[in-house]
Amino acid sequence: MSALATTSPLLGVYRPPSPVLVSGHGTRVVDSGGREYLDFTSGIAVNALGHGHPTVVEAARSALATGLLHTSNLFRTEPAAALAEWLVDRSFGDRVFFCNSGAEAVEGALKFARRWATTVGGPERNGIVAFKGGFHGRTMGALSATDRPAYQAPFAPLVSRVQIVDPGDPHAVARAIGPETAAVIVEPIQAEGGVHEMGADFLAGLRELCDDAGAALVFDEVQTGLGRTGLLWGHEWSGVAPDLMALAKPLAGGLPMGAVVLAEHIADAIQPGDHASTFGGGPFVATVALAVCEKIGSAEILENVRRADAWLRERCAGLVERGRIVEARGRGLLWGLELGRPAAPVVDAARARGLLVCTAGQEVLRLLPPLNTSLAELEEGVALLEEVL
Ligand code: PLP
């Protein structure tokens, strides 16, 4: 009998039923019945190179061959140092902290920002400003900054001094950010919240408000970072740099890894012992992550994402014209299709036809194909989707 029978001891936090996946190759996955699916979820923006990519497989093999899978933070290793160097060489950042997930990266970024702000601004400078529609994860700090009352309510009380503001109300945003603000956290494109781009002007405005108030600007690039939008960082489209950035999802090609990238002035306030992670930045994940980052950062992949963007933009505009969807929003290979009706039945119908997609809120279908998806595969997926719609 299958280990995933109805008596499975897996905690019931995800909605059944879903196919039981047993293997993957490229943009395809195969279920326990031998059925193949075109995967436009990428494990929710994680499998940026698709499934079983030789870069990931080879890096994992070579890391395993060292016999040094884990050392803890008691020791330094070369893969973590090399990965940190790669990240700072290609970003605004000067220092990197490694952890194991997106929520942990957000948690770390908020702690570092508060540590810096209270050090330079006094103990009152501890407020956190986040935005309506934003999603930052499920740990207590990240959840406190996440605008989902239904996710928050069962776990109250959450972290105090977190304010959630409507990004569409410039006066409320300006009022919220002041001398008692330690950090402002924002996704350059709100992904889980329905794929809403925050826009260059908005991010530039936040930068100015943070500078005036002495607050740290934190970009949550867990979903938009590392090539998803066609540039290495989602914020590059805006020309605005943060003080801290949270990364995770695609970082280690499917292995759990997160990172916080910090500007030097923030890092200067962090003392030994302020924060830690036993598993963070271990040599196995870091070796795979460096190989993945080098591949994602290549012109080949980033250009493919920008080509896909142009193609999808036009194809989705056609879906709107033909009345299949209400609106298409996105950038690169992160797209939200506003359906004007519940998205979950469309996800189920697409799966029945061999296409895996996910949602971003109740009425938005989200497309997250691997970054190396070909235009032919995109056409195959969108054609299937159009049939369903
Ligand atoms: N931040 C953003 C923008 C996300 O999209 C997510 C997950 O979807 C997270 C944080 C949390 O990441 P994780 O699920 O790895 O904790």
Side-chain angles (χ1 to χ4, degrees):
M1 196 172 86
S2 160
L4 286 162
T6 47
T7 52
S8 163
L10 287 170
L11 184 65
V13 286
Y14 307 110
R15 258 177 232 106
S18 56
V20 176
L21 301 182
V22 293
S23 65
H25 53 100
T27 50
R28 320 256 167 190
V29 288
V30 178
D31 74 12
S32 50
R35 173 131 201 242
E36 194 173 86
Y37 303 83
L38 186 57
D39 180 11
F40 280 10
T41 66
S42 300
I44 320 186
V46 169
N47 305 307
L49 301 175
H51 300 276
H53 193 283
T55 298
V56 177
V57 174
E58 279 316 306
R61 272 209 187 103
S62 77
L64 280 174
T66 66
L68 200 66
L69 298 190
H70 170 77
T71 57
S72 86
N73 48 51
L74 295 175
F75 307 99
R76 293 212 270 178
T77 60
E78 281 171 9
L83 178 62
E85 217 164 291
W86 191 93
L87 290 167
V88 301
D89 282 352
R90 285 158 188 79
S91 73
F92 68 92
D94 303 292
R95 303 276 164 178
V96 182
F97 172 82
F98 290 118
C99 52
N100 313 285
S101 69
E104 265 185 78
V106 166
E107 210 70 44
L110 295 178
K111 282 183 71 179
F112 296 146
R114 256 194 186 166
R115 178 69 158 117
W116 165 76
T118 54
T119 302
V120 301
E124 302 298 316
R125 190 174 291 175
N126 57 25
I128 291 164
V129 173
F131 294 99
K132 217 171 155 205
F135 182 90
H136 301 292
R138 308 293 200 122
T139 52
M140 284 296 192
L143 183 62
S144 307
T146 288
D147 178 35
R148 296 289 187 288
Y151 294 174
Q152 292 180 331
F155 307 104
L158 297 176
V159 172
S160 63
R161 304 271 297 126
V162 181
Q163 203 182 337
I164 299 204
V165 185
D166 181 354
D169 182 345
H171 297 297
V173 175
R175 262 198 317 275
I177 302 170
E180 294 194 353
T181 307
V184 175
I185 182 163
V186 66
E187 298 158 84
I189 301 174
Q190 287 185 345
E192 300 293 319
V195 189
H196 294 281
E197 189 151 9
M198 291 292 97
D201 290 348
F202 180 75
L203 297 182
L206 287 186
R207 179 71 275 173
E208 208 175 309
L209 288 165
C210 285
D211 290 344
D212 290 350
L217 182 57
V218 182
F219 284 165
D220 179 348
E221 292 244 22
V222 166
Q223 194 148 160
T224 53
L226 290 161
R228 178 61 50 192
T229 67
L231 292 176
L232 198 53
W233 315 119
H235 68 262
E236 281 182 272
W237 292 103
S238 69
V240 177
D243 301 298
L244 300 110
M245 170 167 74
L247 298 175
K249 289 195 182 278
L251 182 56
L255 299 176
M257 186 178 214
V260 187
V261 179
L262 305 84
E264 193 74 62
H265 65 281
I266 307 281
D268 282 346
I270 313 301
Q271 302 301 320
D274 274 351
H275 195 51
S277 165
T278 297
F279 287 113
F284 180 62
V285 283
T287 300
V288 176
L290 182 57
V292 168
C293 285
E294 283 172 346
K295 187 76 182 168
I296 286 177
S298 69
E300 172 204 348
I301 294 289
L302 294 176
E303 278 165 16
N304 188 62
V305 178
R306 294 196 290 268
R307 250 195 321 273
D309 174 289
W311 186 90
L312 269 172
R313 208 167 277 277
E314 205 179 309
R315 190 69 166 79
C316 290
L319 294 180
V320 176
E321 267 167 33
R322 289 189 290 284
R324 306 280 195 268
I325 59 174
V326 175
E327 190 184 37
R329 298 183 293 267
R331 197 179 270 282
L333 280 167
L334 165 56
W335 281 81
L337 311 186
E338 186 81 53
L339 302 182
R341 60 190 159 113
V346 179
V347 170
D348 292 344
R351 188 167 63 218
R353 283 172 191 250
L355 173 69
L356 302 183
V357 288
C358 55
T359 60
Q362 293 299 312
E363 300 197 340
V364 177
L365 206 67
R366 190 168 25 147
L367 308 183
L368 291 162
L371 306 186
N372 52 0
T373 304
S374 68
L375 293 189
E377 288 165 326
L378 281 181
E379 174 53 39
E380 181 187 340
V382 176
L384 273 172
L385 193 59
E386 185 156 17
E387 271 176 43
V388 169
L389 290 166

